[in-house]
Amino acid sequence: VSAVTVRSDLELLERAGRLLRTHGGAVPIHVGESALSFSVRQSANVQAKERIGAAAAELVADGEAIVLDASTTAWHLAHHLLSRRDLTVLTTGLYVALELLRSPGINVLMPGGSVWREAAAIVGSRDLDILPRGNSQRVFLGGRGLSLEQGLTDPKQEEVALKRQLMQAVREVNLIIDSTKLGKVSFASCAQIDEIHRVITDRDAPADFVATLRARGVQVVLA
């Protein structure tokens, strides 16, 4: 078969939820889909996530306090923040924190809690007093799916509960999510559409989905 046919088949299988495309290949999604490792997800849709991360970073100014989750797209965003100065970032992602520590101008905070090994993420934290309510400008969240009915969804209940706590401590909720997640639904809802201020996604996002988000008052950035 031709390379064009292979790419087309992989795209159809991904949209059907049968596999996850990675850089140069794909991995099957079985019952344990929620346990896909950070490294596997990090290699999926790399170019789109890189553009999304760059676009999201443009919203962040020196001297701000922001929140990043443990998503692979947040890792790309972190890379584009390394030139900032006097920036304070609370993150639940181990890899995100390590990336941010490369910059002397960024103060990195992490809540205590259990570590979800596969995702390299803090979950179930009760240590969010380090994030005073309302003092952080914005949060950037990824997810496994975004639908108009269920909003942002993720597979692990503990992570969903923590994301909701993070949302309550900031003034602005931003989603950083590539177009392959649009229209999909995972186990539990993190945020309803009316709780979301902005969605940053890639140019392959379905036009009707984008139009509906904008009609419901959500700003959409296509990277």
Side-chain angles (χ1 to χ4, degrees), residues 184-196:
K184 294 184 178 179
V185 177
S186 191
F187 175 68
S189 293
C190 308
Q192 297 300 319
I193 295 298
D194 61 2
E195 297 177 290
I196 299 165

Side-chain angles (χ1 to χ4, degrees), residues 161-216:
L162 181 54
K163 284 184 176 182
R164 292 202 63 83
Q165 286 181 277
L166 296 175
M167 287 170 51
Q168 293 169 8
V170 300
R171 304 169 190 168
E172 182 181 279
V173 175
N174 297 273
L175 303 190
I176 44 176
I177 188 165
D178 67 78
S179 61
T180 64
K181 313 287 183 58
L182 301 181
K184 294 184 178 179
V185 177
S186 191
F187 175 68
S189 293
C190 308
Q192 297 300 319
I193 295 298
D194 61 2
E195 297 177 290
I196 299 165
H197 296 89
R198 184 182 292 106
V199 173
I200 307 168
T201 187
D202 58 83
R203 294 187 293 268
D204 290 330
D208 56 344
F209 194 97
V210 171
T212 302
L213 284 176
R214 287 172 171 163
R216 294 180 62 172

Side-chain angles (χ1 to χ4, degrees), residues 24-41:
V27 294
I29 295 177
H30 302 298
V31 174
E33 182 263 347
S34 64
L36 283 172
S37 71
F38 184 93
S39 60
V40 170
R41 292 183 289 111

Side-chain angles (χ1 to χ4, degrees), residues 13-27:
L13 287 167
E14 182 175 50
R15 293 196 176 277
R18 302 293 298 278
L19 56 77
L20 177 69
R21 294 181 69 183
T22 63
H23 184 63
V27 294

Side-chain angles (χ1 to χ4, degrees), residues 8-72:
S8 176
D9 288 347
L10 289 175
E11 182 178 349
L12 289 172
L13 287 167
E14 182 175 50
R15 293 196 176 277
R18 302 293 298 278
L19 56 77
L20 177 69
R21 294 181 69 183
T22 63
H23 184 63
V27 294
I29 295 177
H30 302 298
V31 174
E33 182 263 347
S34 64
L36 283 172
S37 71
F38 184 93
S39 60
V40 170
R41 292 183 289 111
Q42 190 178 33
S43 63
N45 304 310
V46 174
Q47 294 182 349
K49 291 177 181 179
E50 180 70 11
R51 295 197 306 270
I52 293 168
E58 292 180 3
L59 301 171
V60 181
D62 290 348
E64 288 192 351
I66 65 170
V67 180
L68 302 182
D69 70 358
S71 64
T72 54

